[in-house]
Amino acid sequence: MNNELNDFFEVDIATLNPTNKLYYFNPYMIEASSNIVAILKDKDFYKIVLDETLFYPEGGGQPSDRGEIEEIPVFDVKEKDGIVYHYVNELPKSSKVNCKIDFHRRFDFMQQHSGEHALSGVILKLFGGANKGFHIGEQFVTIDINIKDMTEEMLTEAEKETNRYIFENQKVDQIVTDTEGLKAYPIRKEITAEEDIRVVSMGEADCCACCGTHVRNLGEVGIIKIIKAESYKGMTRISFLCGYRALNDYREKNDIIKSLKKELSAEESMILTKVQKQREDISALKKQSDIIRKDLAKNISLNIKADETIALIFDDIDFPTLAHIESILLEKSNTVILATTIDNKITAVTKNDAINLGQFFKSNIKTYNGKGGGSKDKVQGSFETKEDIIAFYTSLMSEVVK
Ligand SMILES: [Zn+2]
């Protein structure tokens, strides 16, 4: 352990001033030099307290920043009673440290968070719906609006109106005030704090108390796109994307459309029609093939002699046809075992009480890398390879036809 830092382990956290939060004054600041004021040892990592910090701690729906303290990765940041803790696996060499945040991650959160405020402000204005929950996830950003089942029309209108404010590049002001000063602002949500209240005001779009990091102008949000809406605890949970996330999503969707166009040899506007047509074709073919299968089953069955047990393995008949053959053969046999190496599947049925098919499958099918089972008198199974099904079929035969 480095001597210079030893004393910081002894510091009583209760005596410290709240951490000076640089991200409040300038959320665009990427690098700063700070001083260590306390260190806590926790299992196999350390929690460093600095006099001032660039790092936003987890809170208010916004995840914590990542970055480095003297090139040591900061893997989590949390705040408790105004003190910000930086989680690291090793300690720097001295108490004066150079800090850097991952601005790509920070700016993504700024775009999502500012977009979320604007959308929530618009929904309140248009429909009187209040935001009751906010989360920036890995993939989507979600808000929970206390309106049951918002319609497609409402969502489209809210999306359009929010984007209008973004395209108008409404200015975003971040002000620190107290209960008295707050009266000047038409804030969207009631708050309980009395001093150091941060208000994020977005022109006509929104005004809300918030401790997160925001863009300077709404234009930096780029675009907001609602992806889906679903019922959630009597409310509507809206998932959306802003900025680079929306651009990436657009790129991925465009790539899918390009592949579909190629696959279907169709123009974009005809993709849906073409898919619907293919579905109808498949449905007609299925009906037709079912008729043919039944005929085929009848013809095959005619040439099979009645016996106590009928067991056959085919290499040219598929499983759906076997099912038809099975029902016909049951009229002239007590036990029917049919398998096919086309789909590597087997079906067996018996009217003989002395045979327990389900038990045999349960005890043996895994040995042959198969899946399936059923009752005492009716079973089905599928296998990975032709060799496996042939071996299992042979084993079942020797058990039944003793
Ligand atoms: Zn906020």
Side-chain angles (χ1 to χ4, degrees):
M1 179 62 61
N2 160 349
N3 289 340
E4 199 209 324
L5 298 181
N6 271 351
D7 292 348
F8 294 111
F9 285 93
E10 313 298 328
V11 175
D12 178 6
I13 297 292
T15 64
L16 293 177
N17 287 325
T19 312
N20 187 26
K21 290 147 183 169
L22 298 170
Y23 51 83
Y24 276 163
F25 305 102
N26 183 2
Y28 294 84
M29 207 169 161
I30 296 171
E31 205 167 348
S33 124
S34 305
N35 295 294
I36 294 179
V37 293
I39 301 171
L40 278 79
K41 176 94 174 78
D42 197 329
K43 289 178 196 148
D44 51 351
F45 58 89
Y46 302 96
K47 297 194 273 191
I48 295 178
V49 181
L50 303 168
D51 55 350
E52 51 182 20
T53 185
L54 293 170
F55 289 84
Y56 181 80
E58 189 184 331
Q62 184 177 327
S64 60
D65 279 330
R66 294 289 178 270
E68 294 171 349
I69 294 177
E70 287 292 309
E71 297 185 356
I72 297 161
V74 173
F75 65 85
D76 202 359
V77 188
K78 286 193 162 69
E79 179 182 1
K80 194 167 179 258
D81 302 327
I83 307 286
V84 178
Y85 299 89
H86 307 76
Y87 289 54
V88 288
N89 283 320
E90 55 180 298
L91 290 175
K93 294 204 166 40
S94 72
S95 63
K96 187 150 188 72
V97 287
N98 189 50
C99 304
K100 230 190 229 176
I101 57 156
D102 172 353
F103 190 69
H104 179 75
R105 177 179 164 97
R106 159 69 70 79
F107 189 65
D108 170 48
F109 295 155
M110 283 159 70
Q111 285 187 316
Q112 311 310 321
H113 201 154
S114 295
E116 178 260 341
H117 274 228
L119 179 63
S120 303
V122 164
I123 290 175
L124 182 69
K125 232 174 281 177
L126 289 178
F127 313 113
N131 178 342
K132 295 291 180 188
F134 160 50
H135 176 68
I136 299 182
E138 283 290 322
Q139 196 183 1
F140 296 121
V141 185
T142 60
I143 49 173
D144 301 327
I145 300 293
N146 66 350
I147 298 178
K148 204 177 179 297
D149 304 325
M150 284 182 75
T151 63
E152 277 299 317
E153 291 72 24
M154 288 162 92
L155 295 165
T156 305
E157 198 182 341
E159 182 184 278
K160 253 184 167 170
E161 186 71 352
T162 311
N163 278 301
R164 182 172 70 79
Y165 288 127
I166 293 170
F167 302 156
E168 283 174 5
N169 201 18
Q170 300 262 345
K171 194 169 179 312
V172 179
D173 288 312
Q174 301 177 49
I175 310 115
V176 180
T177 186
D178 54 15
T179 323
E180 200 47 40
L182 196 62
K183 289 178 182 162
Y185 298 96
I187 58 156
R188 165 159 56 85
K189 262 185 190 173
E190 288 301 314
I191 55 158
T192 49
E194 287 176 359
E195 51 187 24
D196 287 341
I197 303 166
R198 291 179 49 77
V199 175
V200 180
S201 172
M202 299 179 163
E204 294 163 40
D206 186 48
C207 186
C208 186
C210 176
C211 60
T213 54
H214 289 270
V215 296
R216 279 173 294 219
N217 298 289
L218 266 189
E220 289 174 70
V221 173
I223 191 165
I224 186 163
K225 182 77 196 85
I226 293 175
I227 303 297
K228 63 176 176 182
E230 59 209 319
S231 290
Y232 177 75
K233 294 184 176 173
M235 301 185 280
T236 301
R237 172 164 284 183
I238 303 173
S239 301
F240 61 93
L241 303 168
C242 298
Y244 284 113
R245 287 194 189 200
L247 176 64
N248 290 337
D249 185 62
Y250 188 18
R251 188 179 298 122
E252 280 166 22
K253 284 183 171 137
N254 205 44
D255 286 346
I256 293 171
I257 296 284
K258 270 198 275 183
S259 307
L260 279 173
K261 278 170 71 175
K262 207 170 149 198
E263 198 66 38
L264 296 165
S265 304
E267 280 311 307
E268 201 170 311
S269 59
M270 291 306 289
I271 289 175
L272 203 58
T273 315
K274 203 131 185 187
V275 169
Q276 280 162 346
K277 172 81 173 62
Q278 285 195 352
R279 213 159 50 192
E280 283 163 18
D281 289 350
I282 290 168
S283 173
L285 281 171
K286 269 189 183 157
K287 272 186 200 152
Q288 191 61 41
S289 68
D290 207 43
I291 293 167
I292 296 168
R293 278 199 177 100
K294 277 182 185 157
D295 280 348
L296 182 63
K298 247 184 244 166
N299 285 330
I300 293 170
S301 306
L302 277 178
N303 297 319
I304 298 169
K305 278 195 204 117
D307 202 346
E308 174 59 27
T309 298
I310 297 174
L312 296 161
I313 185 159
F314 297 89
D315 60 8
D316 54 356
I317 305 289
D318 66 4
F319 193 71
T321 312
L322 286 196
H324 292 303
I325 297 175
E326 183 182 74
S327 66
I328 300 168
L329 291 185
L330 263 183
E331 288 164 18
K332 46 182 171 183
S333 171
N334 274 335
T335 303
V336 180
I337 301 166
L338 301 172
T340 168
T341 56
I342 291 187
D343 341 59
N344 295 328
K345 283 182 178 167
I346 190 164
T347 176
V349 58
T350 186
K351 291 182 263 183
N352 182 344
D353 274 346
I355 298 171
N356 188 336
L357 292 170
Q359 188 56 51
F360 182 86
F361 267 56
K362 202 174 171 191
S363 312
N364 298 285
I365 201 160
K366 278 190 188 145
T367 315
Y368 299 91
N369 308 311
K371 278 188 221 153
S375 59
K376 182 177 178 292
D377 54 0
K378 189 166 174 56
V379 282
Q380 286 190 351
S382 63
F383 296 82
E384 284 173 22
T385 67
K386 185 177 171 176
E387 289 68 33
D388 283 336
I389 190 161
I390 292 173
F392 181 78
Y393 171 81
T394 312
S395 162
L396 175 61
M397 283 280 298
S398 62
E399 178 74 14
V400 175
V401 194
K402 277 179 178 165

